[in-house]
Amino acid sequence: MDISDLLASVVAPPTPSHQRLSDLQSLTRSFVAERTCPELLPYPSALLDRVLEAIREQIETIEEHAGDADPRTNFRMIILQTELERVRFLVRGLVRGRIAKIDAHPLHILNLYTTSQPTLLSPSEHKYLTTHQALLSSHFSASFLSQFPAALQRLDDTTGGVSMVDKPDEDRAVFVRCLRDVGQVYVEGTGTRFEMRRGDVSVVRWSAIRAWVLGGDVELI
Amino acid sequence: MALPLPPGLTPAEVAFLCEMEQVTVMPRQTLEGLDLLGGSIPPLDPRRRAVLPLWLALLLKRQRRANIIPPPWLNPHSLKAVLDDETKNDERFSPPPRLPPVAPDTTTIFSPPFLPSSTADAAPDALPYHWLELGEMLLEAAEDDFEDPESVRRYLRDLREVRLSKVRRGTDQLVAAGSISLTGAGGMEIAEGRSFITGVIDGLRKISASREQQRRDREREEGEGGYPGTADDDEDDEMEMQ
């Protein structure tokens, strides 16, 4: 061991293992949040980049040892593979849950993405959304819309006080757990105020608690 | 490709999350340390206890490579104490385990299933978030590691019934109040009650939507400061509605 090794061991982050555990915690949290939240949450790009990179490396390790006949190594590889599948399940569940929401409210999400929330979609999700929507609208117009009067052909009409663009119900009740004391939560329109302390579990409207969830002080369960 | 499931977690998914809980095992053979995606696990040595994620502990247990040491809250005495507390206090769940403090600069705050609430050093007097799933899984896969599996099973069943009746009774509070507290409820219990509870709350909210809108407008007019004076009026309104 020479001086550069010593330096490297000092400079390196103290516990890469801890970073991985905290990534797994964040991934699990994102998975649960995306499954329980009524609206689409911002795409966790930094987290997913790290996780996907780690998955790729792990697959390489497993492939390297795949041909090993030694039963001991073999068992170790079974453990690695089992865990790999578990993490991939989480990633898959997260991404598929997001696609379900994109399919449900495409125009609303596209609108949010282009006007105010550039972190809402990943590049590939954005591509999927625009391509899918283009296909749909050309199909609609080819099969029936073109025979309607020009004023009735739009898919995002907002005239007459009713918007055609479907939105998720932002007041839907969600189950939350408080991670940091957040003080008083006020539910607009009902006059309900309540205190949320670390560890508390409540059922509350998504619109009332959204800011804290996005800030990481409260998690969805 | 898109997930066809309704919002909320299925029981299978809750059990999957529970399998990430940490448990203490007594290895029966050595195993070199491994770098897993969720952090590395230490080398296993038959002379020393080790803390592992539940899924790995169950894998080792099934292959008879380790014994699982049940967490201290999962023995008949502790369960009986919790059950007494549950029956005595009608209106709340028994309190969850005390949480470790959080430093203000922490970026990732750990929560179940990543808290060590089911290791051999866990608190004996409180049920953690995944108590029901974890108890069932351990009883199924590692029954021989319990001293008295039958009474553990019986207490778990009793606890489940007592707590289930609390969730049901809680529906009285499910007026459109905007929030109810379920502190201490377990993961499986929440998954079970989710569609009913959210269904009732959302339904009631839609019924009283117009009244709420009036109130919201009035609050906007008066500004935040004018709020407390109006509370009594609204209670009267509710009485009339009933």
Side-chain angles (χ1 to χ4, degrees), chain A residues 108-135:
Chain A
H108 171 71
I109 288 171
L110 190 59
N111 191 21
L112 279 182
Y113 175 74
T114 43
T115 54
S116 56
Q117 297 187 31
T119 55
L120 192 62
L121 298 170
S122 73
S124 39
E125 282 169 343
H126 179 234
K127 195 167 160 214
Y128 166 76
L129 172 51
T130 45
T131 324
H132 188 215
Q133 206 50 36
L135 279 174

Side-chain angles (χ1 to χ4, degrees), chain A residues 16-18 20-26 28-29 31-32 35-37 51 54-55 58 71-72 75-80 82-87 89-90 92-93 96-97 99-101 103 128 169 171-175 177-180 186-194 198-205 216-217 219 221, chain B residues 1-10 13 16-17 19-20 22 30-41 55-56 59-60 63 65 96 99-104 106-114 129 176-185 190 193-194 197-198 201-202 205-206 212 215-216 219-220 224 227:
Chain A
S17 174
H18 186 267
R20 290 191 150 194
L21 184 62
S22 96
D23 277 352
L24 184 62
Q25 161 77 78
S26 312
T28 310
R29 193 168 283 160
F31 165 79
V32 176
R35 289 298 315 282
T36 50
C37 173
V51 172
I55 289 181
Q58 198 78 330
R72 198 163 271 260
F75 180 63
R76 285 160 52 86
M77 289 306 122
I78 289 175
I79 298 179
L80 287 191
T82 311
E83 206 233 1
L84 181 71
E85 287 308 320
R86 294 181 58 88
V87 177
F89 173 82
L90 283 177
R92 221 164 27 224
R96 290 180 67 199
I99 294 178
K101 287 183 192 174
D103 282 348
Y128 166 76
D169 181 0
D171 282 339
R172 229 183 54 202
V174 290
F175 288 70
R177 183 193 295 118
C178 187
L179 296 172
R180 267 194 204 108
Y186 177 53
V187 185
E188 199 181 315
T190 61
T192 313
R193 269 171 212 275
F194 64 101
R198 176 162 160 72
D200 282 359
V201 172
S202 328
V203 186
V204 63
R205 287 179 192 188
D217 293 331
E219 69 173 337
I221 52 172
Chain B
M1 192 164 70
L3 209 57
L5 300 167
L9 299 171
T10 63
E13 283 168 328
F16 175 85
L17 296 179
E19 282 174 357
M20 288 191 265
Q22 306 276 313
T30 55
L31 185 75
E32 292 160 58
L34 279 169
D35 279 327
L36 295 180
L37 291 167
S40 44
I41 56 165
W55 62 267
L56 181 53
L59 183 70
L60 295 174
Q63 304 206 348
R65 291 172 196 260
L99 295 166
V102 176
T106 333
T107 45
T108 312
I109 302 173
F110 288 91
S111 62
F114 294 98
Y129 183 62
S179 96
I180 55 170
S181 170
L182 278 176
T183 304
I190 288 180
R194 187 190 306 265
I197 294 175
T198 54
I201 294 184
D202 289 344
R205 170 170 57 80
K206 280 172 194 150
E212 208 175 280
R215 181 175 181 132
R216 213 176 281 204
E219 273 172 34
R220 291 242 169 84
E224 277 291 292
Y227 154 73

Side-chain angles (χ1 to χ4, degrees), chain B residues 4-129:
Chain B
L5 300 167
L9 299 171
T10 63
E13 283 168 328
V14 177
F16 175 85
L17 296 179
C18 169
E19 282 174 357
M20 288 191 265
E21 284 274 354
Q22 306 276 313
V23 292
T24 308
V25 300
M26 198 71 205
R28 290 164 73 168
Q29 45 180 252
T30 55
L31 185 75
E32 292 160 58
L34 279 169
D35 279 327
L36 295 180
L37 291 167
S40 44
I41 56 165
L44 297 187
D45 176 346
R47 285 161 301 176
R48 259 202 310 265
R49 295 175 167 197
V51 174
L52 299 178
L54 179 62
W55 62 267
L56 181 53
L58 291 177
L59 183 70
L60 295 174
K61 173 71 193 172
R62 254 179 242 129
Q63 304 206 348
R64 283 182 291 284
R65 291 172 196 260
N67 288 86
I68 299 176
I69 300 168
W73 53 264
L74 201 54
N75 77 46
H77 290 293
S78 316
L79 289 176
K80 182 166 189 330
V82 176
L83 182 61
D84 286 346
D85 181 67
E86 291 277 2
T87 25
K88 231 176 277 160
N89 298 288
D90 249 7
E91 69 295 345
R92 61 160 177 83
F93 294 106
S94 67
R98 206 165 314 138
L99 295 166
V102 176
D105 57 340
T106 333
T107 45
T108 312
I109 302 173
F110 288 91
S111 62
F114 294 98
L115 293 174
S117 52
S118 298
T119 58
D121 315 320
D125 55 350
L127 295 181
Y129 183 62

